[in-house]
């Protein structure tokens, strides 16, 4: 394993658009992670897909780490282009790849930080409750205790070998042959417990109690405690984005945000802020406005 190290990867936060607009987008993202792990051969330890950014913690070479995140961006961009017609959605989206220091507990802190992103964003109370990552993978026994449709195995799972060639292609949009023993969730994505090295993560933490200590003391957990619940988004980005067409129609008899006149747009932003307790960053993401434009509009409300 000469030349290999632990790496922590973060993509820049998208301020004016979403990576994942709905469940299908997240499902596709999960499958693209699985494909890139297999193609690059990295040892994936933990990852999380958030609405506007990604985190990965893995073991491999820097070149493999770059190939994984760039391969994900390219493949997922093709998915976005097919579904939404948006081009170059992730072009210019920066990536930070950091070597995890060899100092004691550095790896544990990184692993906890990644898992706690969903908790810090006020999406759920525990990483185990968030399906779009690896929060439910660890300290569950061989294949036990996993929530159905979550990050681990559970009732309703099938193996990739049980799918036809056409079904496998529809799943990953590639003729790549993934291991047949990899598991599918009831919701139709490859479960991270199939390829994440939970044994490495559990060895790093040593025990569930020690892992919980790092989860609760991570910088993400501290941010939630220090800022307070009211300062965090009350609704997920996808919830607000899904509500926008109905809101545009009920208020203005328009199909989408792009059809609104300036005065109507001002009222829509006021309604989003009032109904969903959304801040300027979240409003920019769900409407597709730039941060500067969203802030300027809100200053006039």
């Amino acid at each position: 394993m000469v030349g290999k190290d632990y790496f922590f990867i973060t993509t820049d936060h998208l301020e004016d658009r979403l990576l994942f607009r709905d469940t299908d987008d997240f499902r596709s993202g999960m499958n693209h992670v699985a494909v890139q792990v297999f193609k690059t051969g990295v040892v994936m330890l933990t990852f999380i897909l958030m609405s506007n950014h990604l985190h990965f913690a893995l073991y491999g070479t820097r070149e493999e780490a770059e190939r994984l995140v760039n391969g994900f961006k390219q493949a997922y961009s093709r998915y976005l282009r097919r579904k939404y017609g948006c081009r170059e959605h992730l072009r210019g989206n920066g990536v930070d790849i950091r070597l995890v220091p060899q100092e004691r507990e550095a790896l544990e802190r990184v692993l906890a930080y990644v898992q706690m992103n969903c908790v810090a964003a006020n999406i759920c109370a525990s990483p185990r409750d968030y399906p779009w990552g690896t929060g439910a993978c660890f300290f569950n026994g061989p294949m036990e205790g996993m929530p159905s449709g979550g990050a681990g195995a559970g009732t309703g799972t099938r193996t990739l070998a049980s799918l036809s060639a056409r079904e496998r292609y529809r799943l990953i949009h590639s003729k790549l042959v993934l291991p047949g023993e990899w598991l599918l969730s009831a919701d139709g994505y490859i479960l991270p417990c199939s390829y994440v090295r939970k044994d490495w993560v559990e060895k790093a933490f040593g025990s569930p109690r020690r892992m919980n200590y790092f989860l609760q003391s991570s910088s993400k957990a501290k941010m939630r405690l220090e800022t307070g619940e009211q300062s965090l988004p009350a609704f997920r980005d996808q919830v607000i984005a899904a509500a926008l067409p109905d809101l545009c129609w009920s208020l203005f008899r328009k199909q989408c945000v792009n059809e609104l006149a300036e005065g109507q747009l001002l009222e829509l932003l006021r309604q989003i802020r009032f109904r969903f307790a959304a801040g300027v960053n979240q409003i920019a993401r769900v409407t597709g406005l730039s941060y500067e434009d969203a802030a300027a509009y809100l200053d006039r409300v």
Side-chain angles (χ1 to χ4, degrees):
M1 294 188 180
V2 177
K4 296 193 176 186
D5 288 291
Y6 292 101
F7 289 97
F8 174 39
I9 304 175
T10 300
T11 63
D12 286 352
H13 291 53
L14 299 177
E15 297 294 348
D16 58 354
R17 57 196 184 277
L18 297 177
L19 272 173
F20 309 100
R21 302 185 190 182
D22 57 27
T23 298
D24 286 340
D25 292 354
F26 274 111
R27 186 184 295 118
S28 177
M30 294 292 284
N31 289 331
H32 284 307
V33 172
V35 168
Q36 295 304 317
V37 169
F38 181 77
K39 290 178 69 174
T40 59
V42 301
V43 175
M44 181 60 70
L45 302 177
T46 188
F47 71 88
I48 194 166
L49 309 183
M50 300 296 288
S51 63
N52 69 335
H53 68 285
L54 316 168
H55 289 297
F56 302 98
L58 56 83
Y59 182 83
T61 65
R62 178 173 287 274
E63 179 185 6
E64 289 171 340
E66 291 174 351
R67 283 171 50 209
L68 179 131
V69 68
N70 290 331
F72 177 92
K73 288 172 61 178
Q74 291 169 6
Y76 189 66
S77 290
R78 288 194 294 270
Y79 164 84
L80 293 173
R81 186 163 58 249
R82 287 194 303 268
K83 183 174 179 180
Y84 299 110
C86 50
R87 296 180 177 276
E88 301 183 349
H89 191 80
L90 296 178
R91 183 179 292 276
N93 178 224
V95 176
D96 182 25
I97 302 178
R98 298 188 184 186
L99 180 70
V100 178
Q102 294 295 316
E103 66 186 58
R104 189 169 179 266
E105 299 184 345
L107 178 60
E108 293 96 310
R109 291 196 296 272
V110 167
L111 296 174
Y113 179 92
V114 172
Q115 294 188 66
M116 287 300 288
N117 263 252
C118 53
V119 178
N122 206 28
I123 295 171
C124 53
S126 166
R128 293 180 181 275
D129 300 326
Y130 189 71
W132 313 119
T134 54
C137 284
F138 311 117
F139 293 108
N140 292 300
M143 287 296 175
E144 301 171 355
M146 300 289 194
S148 177
T155 304
T157 57
R158 295 191 294 165
T159 64
L160 284 178
S162 70
L163 303 181
S164 67
R166 178 174 295 181
E167 288 174 323
R168 289 195 297 270
Y169 183 83
R170 284 202 301 263
L171 188 76
I172 64 174
H173 296 285
S174 170
K175 294 182 179 179
L176 186 69
V177 180
L178 301 178
E181 67 273 16
W182 281 12
L183 297 171
L184 290 172
S185 76
D187 292 329
Y189 60 87
I190 300 168
L191 288 164
C193 65
S194 299
Y195 55 87
V196 165
R197 292 304 302 267
K198 59 172 288 186
D199 54 332
W200 285 40
V201 174
E202 291 174 359
K203 183 178 180 181
F205 284 119
S207 68
R209 183 174 182 176
R210 189 165 181 268
M211 183 178 76
N212 287 334
Y213 164 77
F214 279 97
L215 292 176
Q216 296 303 318
S217 61
S218 76
S219 59
K220 283 292 183 181
K222 288 180 179 178
M223 182 183 74
R224 182 182 185 186
L225 292 173
E226 290 170 0
T227 58
E229 297 290 342
Q230 297 304 316
S231 64
L232 295 170
F235 292 86
R236 294 179 62 184
D237 289 348
Q238 289 71 34
V239 173
I240 302 176
L244 286 184
D246 288 339
L247 197 55
C248 288
W249 183 256
S250 64
L251 292 174
F252 313 112
R253 290 297 185 266
K254 301 292 185 180
Q255 297 288 342
C256 62
V257 174
N258 292 338
E259 295 180 0
L260 301 182
E262 184 176 38
Q264 294 172 328
L265 181 58
L266 285 171
E267 177 60 19
L268 177 69
L269 300 190
R270 189 188 74 82
Q271 291 286 338
I272 295 172
R273 187 165 66 177
F274 173 74
R275 293 173 185 239
F276 300 102
V280 60
N281 283 291
Q282 190 176 32
I283 289 173
R285 289 195 300 270
V286 300
T287 59
L289 295 171
S290 68
Y291 174 87
E292 292 76 12
D293 287 344
Y297 279 124
L298 288 169
D299 283 343
R300 296 165 57 186
V301 171

